[in-house]
Amino acid sequence: MLTCRNESLYLACCLQYLYEQGIETCVINNEDDTVDIAKSFLKKGVFRIETQPYLGYFDLVAQLELKQRLINEIDADWFIHHDADEIREALSPFSTLREGIIAVDRKGYNAINFDEFVFLPVTNEEVFERTD
């Protein structure tokens, strides 16, 4: 489940990465131009695109209610609450995120905790957009 609004800078890279990692993605669009990027990945990782109306502000409650409805509709064992500016990786020895998820599923786990590392520019001249 990838919710996006004004994420055109990151979305294509994120969707390509998830596709290469073997992750199928349901994109939830908040009525902006990122829907066109998501459409370009249909059948290349993106299997569904939903629209959440944008009311002029971020509405986490409405987003989570929509995700709950989608969880009830989509036939899947695992769901990832994902943002377009995130990259998730499985630990070694797994070569893909899908392999890592399958491994923890086989061990009987029902949740995965990820460590988050945030890299912020320290000066106005530093720009890391469109880089790994």
Side-chain angles (χ1 to χ4, degrees), residues 108-124:
Y109 293 102
N110 64 2
I112 301 170
N113 187 34
F114 288 89
D115 291 325
E116 180 179 13
F117 301 94
V118 179
F119 300 94
L120 301 173
V122 294
T123 69
N124 289 336

Side-chain angles (χ1 to χ4, degrees), residues 64-128:
L64 294 175
E65 288 172 347
L66 175 57
K67 286 184 176 186
Q68 184 61 56
R69 179 178 62 81
L70 293 172
I71 286 169
N72 292 330
E73 294 176 9
I74 296 169
D75 183 24
D77 294 327
W78 286 87
F79 292 90
I80 301 172
H81 178 85
H82 206 290
D83 291 334
D85 62 352
E86 297 176 330
I87 298 173
R88 288 192 167 84
E89 297 178 339
L91 296 174
S92 181
F94 307 108
S95 61
T96 66
L97 187 54
R98 182 181 183 87
E99 285 180 7
I101 293 169
I102 289 170
V104 297
D105 185 68
R106 286 185 179 146
K107 290 184 178 185
Y109 293 102
N110 64 2
I112 301 170
N113 187 34
F114 288 89
D115 291 325
E116 180 179 13
F117 301 94
V118 179
F119 300 94
L120 301 173
V122 294
T123 69
N124 289 336
E125 290 76 33
E126 287 185 315
V127 178
F128 299 107

